[in-house]
Amino acid sequence: PSICFAHFHLGSPVSGRLFQGRLKFLGRAMLFLPLAVALLQVAQAGFLTSASSGECVGGLAAGSLDIGGTPLAYLSTLQPGKIASQGSAMTLQHNSGLSVMSACDKHEWKPENIMQFKLLGRTLRFTVDLSGVGCACNVAFYLIGMPAKDLQGLPSRGTNRGEEPPYYCDANQVGGQWCPEIDIMEANNRVFSSTPHKCDAPTRHGHYNQCDRIGCFTSTKDMKRSYGPGSSYTVNMLAPFDVSTEFLEQDGTLIGLRTTLEQGGRHVFFDHSNCTKRDLAALSSAMRDGMSLRITYWGSDSQTMAWMDRPVCGWQYCGGLNAGDVVISDISVSNGTSFAKPEADALQKEIDRKPPQDVYIDVLKRFSGKRLSILLGSSMRGSFVLAAAFVCLASFMGVALLMVSRRLCSRHSLQDFERQMPTGDVLLAAAPPSGTYDRLPLAAHLDHSEAFA
């Protein structure tokens, strides 16, 4: 007001009124400044979707997601109000699920938009915070052969999907359609499990009629103090941790899986050794074609989830404070795997440093069964290496026996020569090609004992 008064009276009436109008406009603008700042803060906190989420929100769309090693991904869901994303992180509420898509569509779930992950010979990683996800709850991060195909090989929406999206399928026929499934993570804050599910061979059009519902199940339930809430566990569920799964392949065939949980330099390993070669090989075709990434958060009473978390969990219910939000971030796909590589490198160093027989005796002491076959590689190469090891060992033993026998024979021959040779003669033994021996006289007569000495 003082500025306005000074300019109004010191200047001309016209200029004073003009300046006064400008001040009124500035004052009104100042009233909206706190609201604008508040809106910016809300947007930065992720409650509003900005350009970072690709402007793909509304209807079936739940935003975009940065996934390392892939083009920009989009999230489609039937529960848009329960999923939020920003940058490389997403938050899921209880009773929600999403699929990762290659294009944004707010109105229709199109099969050609379902992103296909081709992971043979590659590694899939992500970070997860399950601190608020209690017993009887299940956060599932898994691959499926979606979209399902009908008998003619065309994408099938399904007719008995329940709460599942169009084209959904899995190894338990949830939603009414079968397809291969790899459960990379099914977990809460007390149990972490991972389960590949193979299917019977599909028809020539890619339609599946039956799958292995149980799969080759691996769980931290069988690993004492490996996983749980608190610092006494290898992986403390009260803090985020990293998950990586390596898909080992040979000539286009899946031959091994390894899942690693990592937190602060501590590790929990799943080698999936309970999966047979046939189990894994049966997943190869689906993995070569590409599999869809599906993430869900579900659960209700303890009986429903007893297969996963009993006896670690009791009679809890998945709801309320026991079903807090889950945050998954930093999903990435990278080429190559590190499966068994450190051990193989150590083995090679020992081969360079030690005699063959020592190396393979050590190997047999430290490794057995499947781990030995993995280190040696293919069955043909492994057979060759083992055969070479036994040949070396047999040769070593043969040389030792030969040295002992020669020493004994030498002693025996010396005694014979001493008995047979006349005094004053010397026997010079040579082994010409004919194998005969010649007695040669010497000009000087030496005592035979001196000559042998």
Side-chain angles (χ1 to χ4, degrees), residues 128 130 188-190 192 220 224-243 260-269:
V128 61
L130 298 171
N188 52 42
N189 60 20
R190 299 304 300 273
F192 186 106
T220 55
K224 188 175 181 181
R225 309 301 297 177
S226 62
Y227 179 97
S231 58
S232 62
Y233 293 90
T234 304
V235 173
N236 178 7
M237 288 309 308
L238 300 180
F241 63 96
D242 299 326
V243 181
T260 304
L261 315 184
E262 181 179 1
Q263 184 186 64
R266 301 183 302 275
H267 301 82
V268 173
F269 298 102

Side-chain angles (χ1 to χ4, degrees), residues 124-126 128 184-185 192 241-245 259-261:
L124 177 64
R125 295 181 174 89
F126 62 93
V128 61
I184 294 174
M185 174 185 75
F192 186 106
F241 63 96
D242 299 326
V243 181
S244 66
T245 297
T259 300
T260 304
L261 315 184

Side-chain angles (χ1 to χ4, degrees), residues 101-118:
M101 315 294 277
S102 58
C104 175
D105 195 321
K106 301 179 181 180
H107 308 292
E108 187 177 356
W109 206 293
K110 297 179 180 178
E112 62 268 24
N113 290 344
I114 301 173
M115 183 175 287
Q116 300 298 311
F117 290 79
K118 297 184 178 182

Side-chain angles (χ1 to χ4, degrees), residues 56 63-65 67 70-76 99-105 109-117 292-293:
C56 184
S64 65
L65 188 71
I67 298 180
T70 70
L72 183 64
Y74 298 89
L75 308 180
S76 290
S99 290
V100 178
M101 315 294 277
S102 58
C104 175
D105 195 321
W109 206 293
K110 297 179 180 178
E112 62 268 24
N113 290 344
I114 301 173
M115 183 175 287
Q116 300 298 311
F117 290 79
S292 167
L293 177 58

Side-chain angles (χ1 to χ4, degrees), residues 135-137 299-306 309-310 314-318:
C135 289
C137 299
S300 54
D301 59 274
S302 61
Q303 192 62 36
T304 302
M305 212 60 64
D309 58 21
R310 291 282 182 87
W315 298 96
Q316 295 90 334
Y317 181 81
C318 182

